[in-house]
């Protein structure tokens, strides 16, 4: 290990995006794109609150499915972001553990400018929770039972009914909401961290991005948190 | 003042280490942490025991040799300060103090509290320089540099290579050190001709040494005795992305 790597080993053999800096660029880019998706997804889900017995949500979902191949392209892209985020994440975590095999007897933060929080320390844990959650979530809704409804004479999937039915189950509703607390932590550190990993921050923008990240995390996760709880208590079964 | 110390003792690089407890008395509050250890060592030598190995050179915060982890903090509890500048008045009388070496696989322990930080030298050797012919010093104002840029470069150049950033980082990453070196040269016109190959080679060397990657915890900046900011890490990443996507960068790898 302690040799001059004059042949640029890691950069040449593993490639520029599989170095300590490169992996974080991949994680950051994919993470930000996933956050972009989460915002669109949340905006769509808030249609559950429309109080129209699901008309708006079902028609939105119907329009999406009319896109056909475009929808599939979007799904494949999302899966690619998700996988590259996870793969580089696992590599980052493994390398980091290897870098310090003997632990400190005592470890303390010096505070001040440090950005270390539960959120930053728990990225791998909150990430793993999301890794379990996301496939379960797709299986529950997208791959769930197919109810049909007719809106304005057009037969379509009644996804609204499925959402309300799922969240009338207290175990589903409350565990879903609990996962959102972890999402909140992941985003609270993830947003500013991604911008920092992409080299987008400087003395002026770093503190702004840090605060925006926390606000964004609370808003996005908060939206997804309220949804199952509100549905459980206040939305009648259609 | 009196202190109860728990100090890491390790006979050699591949030997197992353990903590040993010592009590020191008659410590003057103005003594530096290293002077306190000197006093303890004198007592140990008088008793015919092996003194505690620790490193120091300038004892005025400029050489970067003296790093220790004191109560879990690199260079001890005071910010903007090296171990040699830390005074015993920072601790309450009778305090229990734990002293460990910097821990990182890239910094193997040589003995007791002394670690081998030459991995940092190899990162510099990989690209942390500009190639110029030596000769008489050029005229100071031959190349005009805006004051804010000069200040930013000077702030980055203040790094003394102590390795506290690595010690404090939960991932044992050398990102702040490497970024400080990449930054101070990338900011100045003299550093521009070699900027692509510099950042690629230095990052590559950092990886070859087995340092971790930066998770943006910011613990490094908190521990850095020179207050080097993590905005330098963002700049290093910009430089890296720039080099990795440009023709000059591709040539640099060959
Ligand atoms: C909704 C899904 C997710 C979103 C929106 C998301 C977003 C992000 C963002 C923006 C970052 C910051 C990247 C950086 O600092 O460069 C990040 C970091 C991280 N993510 Fe995710 N993530 C998601 C899912 C996951 C999953 C499923 C895992 C893994 C099993 C994961 C593991 C991690 C880890 C370990 C980090 C920290 C990397 C480090 O230590 O530097 N994430 N995430
Ligand atoms: S960046 Fe700061 S902590 Fe790291 S080596 Fe330089 S002076 Fe020491
Ligand atoms: S001995 Fe030189 S910096 Fe402490």
């Amino acid at each position: 290990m302690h040799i001059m790597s004059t042949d640029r080993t890691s950069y040449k053999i593993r490639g520029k995006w599989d170095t300590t800096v490169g992996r974080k660029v991949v994680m950051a880019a994919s993470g930000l794109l996933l956050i972009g998706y989460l915002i669109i997804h949340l905006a769509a889900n808030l249609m559950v609150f429309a109080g129209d017995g699901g008309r708006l949500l079902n028609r939105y979902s119907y329009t999406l499915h009319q896109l056909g191949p475009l929808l599939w392209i979007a799904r494949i892209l999302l899966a690619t972001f998700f996988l590259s985020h996870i793969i580089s994440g696992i590599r980052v975590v493994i390398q980091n553990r290897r870098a310090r095999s003997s632990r400190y007897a005592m470890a303390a933060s010096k505070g001040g400018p440090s950005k270390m929080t539960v959120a930053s320390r728990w990225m791998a844990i909150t990430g793993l929770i999301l890794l379990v959650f996301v496939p379960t979530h797709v299986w529950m809704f997208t791959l769930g039972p197919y109810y049909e409804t007719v809106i304005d004479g057009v037969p379509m999937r009644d996804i609204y009914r499925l959402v309300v039915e799922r969240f009338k189950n207290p175990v589903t509703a409350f565990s879903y909401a609990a996962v959102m607390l972890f999402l909140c932590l992941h985003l609270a550190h993830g947003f500013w961290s991604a911008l920092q990993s992409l080299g987008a921050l400087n003395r002026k923008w770093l503190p702004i991005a840090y605060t925006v990240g926390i606000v964004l995390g609370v808003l996005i996760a908060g939206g997804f948190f309220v949804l199952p709880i509100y549905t459980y208590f206040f939305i009648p079964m259609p | 003042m009196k202190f109860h110390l728990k100090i890491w003792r390790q006979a050699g690089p591949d030997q197992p280490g353990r903590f040993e407890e010592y009590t020191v008395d008659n410590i003057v509050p103005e003594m530096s942490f290293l002077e306190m250890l000197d006093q303890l060592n004198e007592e140990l030598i008088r008793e015919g025991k092996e003194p505690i190995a620790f490193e120091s050179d300038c004892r005025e915060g400029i050489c970067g040799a003296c790093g220790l982890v004191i109560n879990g903090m690199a260079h001890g509890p005071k910010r903007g300060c090296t171990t040699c500048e830390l005074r015993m008045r920072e601790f309450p009388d009778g305090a229990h103090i734990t002293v460990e070496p910097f821990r990182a696989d890239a910094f193997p322990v040589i003995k007791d509290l002394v670690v081998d930080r030459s991995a940092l030298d190899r990162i510099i050797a990989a690209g942390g320089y500009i190639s110029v012919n030596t000769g008489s010093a050029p005229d100071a104002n031959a190349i005009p540099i805006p004051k804010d840029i000069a200040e930013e470069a000077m702030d980055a150049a203040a790094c003394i290579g102590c390795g506290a950033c690595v010690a404090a980082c939960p991932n044992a990453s050398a990102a702040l050190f490497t970024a400080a070196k990449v930054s101070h040269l990338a900011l100045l016109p003299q550093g521009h001709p070699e900027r692509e190959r510099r950042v690629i080679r230095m990052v590559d060397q950092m990886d070859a040494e087995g340092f971790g990657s930066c998770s943006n915890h910011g613990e490094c900046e908190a521990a850095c005795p020179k207050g080097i900011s993590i905005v330098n890490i963002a700049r290093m990443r910009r430089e890296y992305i720039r080099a990795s996507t440009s023709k000059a960068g591709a040539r640099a790898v060959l």
Side-chain angles (χ1 to χ4, degrees):
Chain A
M1 184 164 300
H2 300 280
I3 38 144
M4 282 300 297
S5 70
T6 41
D7 53 351
R8 317 272 65 84
T9 34
S10 23
Y11 192 90
K12 250 165 111 175
I13 297 169
R14 297 208 297 268
K16 50 196 162 195
W17 307 121
D18 197 24
T19 63
T20 48
V21 176
R23 282 177 213 122
K24 286 302 306 274
V25 170
V26 174
M27 293 206 76
S30 54
L32 281 182
L33 289 162
L34 288 172
I35 291 180
Y37 169 73
L38 280 185
I39 294 173
I40 299 170
H41 189 48
L42 177 64
N45 284 8
L46 291 179
M47 294 178 189
V48 169
F49 294 129
D52 60 354
R55 263 180 77 91
L56 192 60
L57 183 74
N58 283 336
R59 285 181 46 175
Y60 165 77
S61 158
Y62 179 73
T63 317
L64 267 192
H65 285 84
Q66 291 306 99
L67 295 176
L70 275 181
L71 179 65
W72 274 104
I73 292 173
R75 280 174 171 163
I76 289 166
L77 280 177
L78 275 176
T80 313
F81 302 154
F82 197 67
L83 284 178
S84 43
H85 189 77
I86 294 164
I87 293 167
S88 41
I90 291 171
R91 290 185 61 74
V92 163
V93 171
I94 291 176
Q95 156 130 31
N96 291 351
R97 312 210 94 227
R98 272 204 202 127
R100 176 169 296 127
S101 48
S102 67
R103 310 263 127 198
Y104 285 113
M106 229 179 140
S109 174
K110 286 177 94 162
S114 176
K115 301 277 180 292
M116 191 167 75
T117 55
V118 209
S120 77
R121 293 310 301 264
W122 284 16
M123 286 308 269
I125 298 165
T126 51
L128 272 177
I129 292 170
L130 293 175
L131 180 60
V132 175
F133 171 78
V134 172
T136 314
H137 174 71
V138 170
W139 168 77
M140 236 179 183
F141 292 101
T142 315
L143 305 177
Y146 195 97
Y147 300 128
E148 226 181 40
T149 182
V150 177
I151 295 177
D152 301 333
V154 188
M156 60 180 73
R157 184 175 186 184
D158 194 354
I159 197 73
Y160 178 78
R161 183 187 180 83
L162 182 61
V163 170
V164 177
E165 184 186 276
R166 290 291 196 207
F167 289 151
K168 280 296 177 194
N169 177 337
V171 177
T172 308
F174 288 95
S175 50
Y176 189 104
V179 171
M180 294 309 118
L181 300 177
F182 295 107
L183 175 68
C184 181
L185 288 179
H186 203 81
L187 300 183
H189 180 71
F191 179 76
W192 92 271
S193 175
L195 293 175
Q196 171 78 355
S197 296
L198 290 170
L201 301 179
N202 57 22
R203 280 182 204 275
K204 178 173 170 223
W205 285 101
L206 196 148
I208 298 173
Y210 186 74
T211 311
V212 169
I214 295 172
V215 173
L216 203 72
V218 170
L219 285 181
I220 296 179
F224 285 120
F225 177 88
V226 171
L227 206 98
I229 304 280
Y230 184 86
T231 308
Y232 177 75
F233 285 112
F234 305 114
I235 295 186
M237 230 7 247
Chain B
M1 299 178 92
K2 186 173 178 170
F3 296 102
H4 305 284
L5 305 165
K6 216 175 104 182
I7 301 180
W8 183 260
R9 301 301 307 261
Q10 184 172 336
D14 296 310
Q15 309 283 320
R18 76 203 124 68
F19 282 101
E20 276 192 18
E21 299 194 7
Y22 305 91
T23 301
V24 284
D25 208 346
N26 301 318
I27 298 294
V28 183
E30 286 70 37
M31 271 184 171
S32 77
F33 202 83
L34 300 184
E35 285 162 340
M36 181 275 292
L37 290 177
D38 287 337
Q39 181 170 322
L40 171 61
N41 272 346
E42 276 165 29
E43 284 167 29
L44 289 176
I45 292 166
R46 258 199 305 277
E47 292 166 19
K49 292 188 186 144
E50 180 79 10
I52 298 153
F54 63 90
E55 207 181 344
S56 78
D57 187 9
C58 70
R59 300 217 175 186
E60 57 178 3
I62 54 172
C63 76
C66 59
L68 299 175
V69 170
I70 302 163
N71 283 344
M73 289 166 279
H75 291 305
K78 194 170 158 48
R79 285 206 286 114
C81 170
T82 53
T83 304
C84 60
E85 295 172 304
L86 180 69
R87 304 292 142 178
M88 294 316 292
R89 60 171 172 261
E90 299 295 332
F91 301 89
D93 194 14
H96 290 257
I97 306 175
T98 304
V99 191
E100 299 175 71
F102 283 1
R103 294 193 194 276
D105 288 37
F107 286 172
V109 172
I110 296 173
K111 191 178 180 193
D112 297 338
L113 302 173
V114 180
V115 299
D116 179 0
R117 288 174 297 113
S118 50
L120 299 185
D121 300 335
R122 287 187 293 268
I123 294 176
I124 296 296
Y129 51 79
I130 56 167
S131 307
V132 285
N133 294 325
T134 50
S136 55
D139 178 37
N141 290 322
I143 306 171
I145 297 163
K147 176 146 169 54
D148 52 336
I149 305 274
E151 292 282 352
E152 189 75 18
M154 275 303 281
D155 284 352
C159 167
I160 55 175
C162 65
C165 43
V166 175
C169 175
N171 309 335
S173 164
L176 190 63
F177 167 80
T178 311
K181 302 302 177 185
V182 165
S183 272
H184 97 257
L185 295 174
L187 280 161
L188 300 174
Q190 292 90 333
H192 286 176
E194 291 160 303
R195 68 197 291 185
E196 288 88 4
R197 79 173 202 215
R198 173 179 310 117
V199 68
I200 289 171
R201 290 180 178 191
M202 290 178 79
V203 166
D204 190 53
Q205 188 63 36
M206 181 170 89
D207 289 10
E209 299 290 350
F211 290 105
S213 82
C214 169
S215 290
N216 305 318
H217 292 297
E219 280 289 282
C220 50
E221 180 176 341
C224 175
K226 301 297 155 186
I228 310 276
S229 163
I230 55 171
V231 297
N232 291 296
I233 300 182
R235 186 177 296 105
M236 171 175 74
R237 286 157 166 165
R238 281 202 288 285
E239 287 292 312
Y240 185 86
I241 294 170
R242 187 178 176 282
S244 296
T245 50
S246 73
K247 278 214 188 78
R251 270 199 305 277
V253 191
L254 299 176

